[in-house]
Amino acid sequence: MPVTEHQGSSSSPSPFSFGRSLLSLRRDHAAMPSGEEADLEAFQRHVAASLGELLPGEGEGGSGGGEEILSVAWIRRLLEAFILCQEEFRVFVAQARRRGALPAAGEKLVVEFHERAVKALDVCNAARDGVDQLRRWERLADIAASVLLAPGEIHEGQLRRARKALSDLAVLLVDDTAASGSGGVASFLASHRNRSFGRARASPSRAAVAGASSATSASHFRSLSWSVSRAWSASRQLQAIGAGLAAPRAHEAGLAAPVYAMGCVLHLAAWALVAAVPCPDRSAALQAHHLPAAPPRAAFPWAPPLLTLQERLAEEGKRKDRRHSCGLLKEIHVLEKSTHKLTEAIDAAPIPLFGDREADVREAAAELAAVCAAMRDGLEPLERQVREVFHRIVRSRVEGLDSSMHNAD
């Protein structure tokens, strides 16, 4: 995401649904003698409300807004919460500057937050590339489903084409950090690749060449698709974002608390992105060793929901059925299961297809087609949301530099 793009996209409106804005809360407290204290209290309450709306609900895997945690919809709402909180933080800082209540120490805190936020730009780039990978997976899965849902009888050529698409998908689904012995759906599909091609009566040499060609193509895709460097690590980047992030001491007033709140929300959003979509070295990022010191629950109203969300993300990374997945995004898990089901149905199908066997194949193909349609509907808005976060961070950083230069003059 080139930095120069932010001027064109930052002006686009973003739909937010997280309670009242800081400006409306500020009007409610206009009669209070201390405007800064009222603004601080309102800001922290709003951060707490935004995070609280993301908490899992009473139902299994459900969230307060009806979306399952780590689904595309839930990730978008988390990013919306970050964007809104960052915008209100910007207003909070601007108001403090206009009142002359922002000393040099406060300016330093603002600069430190912007520097921390800039480290999340690489996470946005890696997440965008991860979304591109998901699109590639969806296209391959849709090919396999579409050829089996065509009108008329299912012939051997259609089965062969579906197997080829599933084989290519299997290669791409293998996580770089856990490809060998993962025991997941990707390994199952990869182990069936040669047997599936064997149905086409290919000679061993031709099958080997085809498999090597497919693996080489997928390896080339994985190595060249990332806009971050090949040595970039999601785990190390999360550690850098959380480095030095500690709760302010009792005597630290002013911007110390809101800067700390924004740092924690930033880290949460970056961690969720890395966990959800394919990223370089994302498996190490799931271990939660990059987490900064936990904020005191009683000291900040947003600390309890933040800690609950951190705990849920850590639990999702430890789940046995997700441990070796390419991403914790719910849609990835559903795609893997549907692909697994279709692969089993094809391998169990006789040639020619008839009766219940044909019905099983069509049912599995229809299920996979529905999953692909849902992914197409969700991935484009998610990518726009990631781009918006990127541009907001860049714009805030530029505005912060301009303000610092103005104050120095």
Side-chain angles (χ1 to χ4, degrees):
M1 297 179 193
V3 172
T4 54
E5 293 180 5
H6 84 278
Q7 296 176 349
S9 66
S10 59
S11 60
S12 59
S14 297
F16 299 118
S17 59
F18 294 99
R20 295 181 298 172
S21 69
L22 181 63
L23 296 177
S24 64
L25 289 169
R26 179 177 292 111
R27 287 194 293 269
D28 294 342
H29 291 273
M32 295 186 64
S34 175
E36 184 177 0
E37 291 181 5
D39 291 348
L40 174 59
E41 181 183 352
F43 174 77
Q44 296 208 77
R45 284 205 313 269
H46 182 76
V47 173
S50 298
L51 295 178
E53 293 186 10
L54 296 166
L55 289 175
E58 296 297 327
E60 181 180 355
S63 67
E67 300 91 0
E68 185 174 344
I69 191 169
L70 284 174
S71 64
V72 168
W74 187 89
I75 293 292
R76 288 189 61 207
R77 294 180 68 235
L78 173 60
L79 297 180
E80 286 175 359
F82 169 75
I83 292 173
L84 184 57
C85 290
Q86 187 199 38
E87 179 64 18
E88 297 186 347
F89 175 74
R90 187 185 67 82
V91 174
F92 183 91
V93 172
Q95 292 284 25
R97 286 196 178 107
R98 280 195 287 270
R99 287 195 300 262
L102 195 61
E107 290 285 1
K108 181 180 179 183
L109 289 174
V110 174
V111 171
E112 289 177 355
F113 167 71
H114 289 318
E115 291 176 350
R116 190 184 303 277
V118 166
K119 297 174 184 177
L121 296 180
D122 273 352
V123 173
C124 292
N125 279 329
R128 184 204 61 183
D129 291 336
V131 172
D132 285 341
Q133 275 196 282
L134 295 181
R135 283 202 185 95
R136 184 181 177 102
W137 300 349
E138 180 272 323
R139 285 194 295 269
L140 288 171
D142 190 55
I143 289 173
S146 297
V147 297
L148 298 176
L149 292 175
E153 296 181 359
I154 298 178
H155 300 286
E156 185 176 0
Q158 293 166 278
L159 291 174
R160 189 180 302 118
R161 186 179 181 192
R163 289 192 188 102
K164 175 63 168 62
L166 293 175
S167 171
D168 293 341
L169 176 60
V171 175
L172 295 179
L173 278 174
V174 175
D175 194 356
D176 289 342
T177 58
S180 59
S182 65
V185 175
S187 293
F188 171 85
L189 295 172
S191 68
H192 281 60
R193 176 156 46 90
N194 288 338
R195 183 155 64 92
S196 296
F197 276 115
R199 297 290 186 94
R201 300 182 180 275
S203 66
S205 59
R206 288 180 60 190
V209 170
S213 175
S214 178
T216 302
S217 174
S219 176
H220 178 75
F221 167 75
R222 284 197 296 266
S223 65
L224 297 183
S225 63
W226 306 110
S227 58
V228 292
S229 69
R230 295 182 64 181
W232 186 84
S233 163
S235 178
R236 290 196 298 269
Q237 199 70 15
L238 289 175
Q239 289 179 355
I241 294 173
L245 189 58
R249 299 179 179 86
H251 67 276
E252 293 178 316
L255 281 175
V259 166
Y260 178 58
M262 285 305 305
C264 291
V265 175
L266 171 71
H267 187 276
L268 176 70
W271 185 22
L273 273 178
V274 166
V277 301
C279 286
D281 193 34
R282 59 167 295 279
S283 60
L286 300 180
Q287 306 303 318
H289 56 76
H290 53 78
L291 287 176
R297 288 181 177 269
F300 305 101
W302 47 264
L306 177 89
L307 293 173
T308 301
L309 291 172
Q310 288 181 345
E311 291 168 1
R312 281 303 307 271
L313 288 178
E315 290 172 3
E316 290 293 318
K318 295 175 182 177
R319 285 177 54 177
K320 188 175 182 180
D321 59 338
R322 304 282 190 94
R323 193 175 301 162
H324 300 296
S325 176
C326 299
L328 298 183
L329 199 69
K330 185 198 78 170
E331 285 75 6
I332 294 178
H333 184 58
V334 175
L335 178 69
E336 289 178 329
K337 289 177 62 178
S338 299
T339 304
H340 187 167
K341 181 177 178 179
L342 180 58
T343 301
E344 285 190 321
I346 291 176
D347 284 339
I351 303 293
L353 276 178
F354 59 87
D356 292 342
R357 294 296 190 182
E358 182 176 0
D360 291 342
V361 170
R362 290 191 182 276
E363 179 185 351
E367 179 181 316
L368 183 58
V371 171
C372 293
M375 288 188 70
R376 283 194 299 272
D377 293 340
L379 290 180
E380 184 176 351
L382 176 60
E383 183 179 18
R384 287 199 302 266
Q385 201 82 46
V386 173
R387 288 180 179 273
E388 182 68 13
V389 169
F390 182 95
H391 297 316
R392 291 296 185 103
I393 291 175
V394 171
R395 187 176 69 177
S396 295
R397 176 57 172 158
V398 172
E399 290 177 351
L401 291 174
D402 290 343
S403 299
S404 299
M405 295 174 63
H406 177 74
N407 293 336
D409 293 341

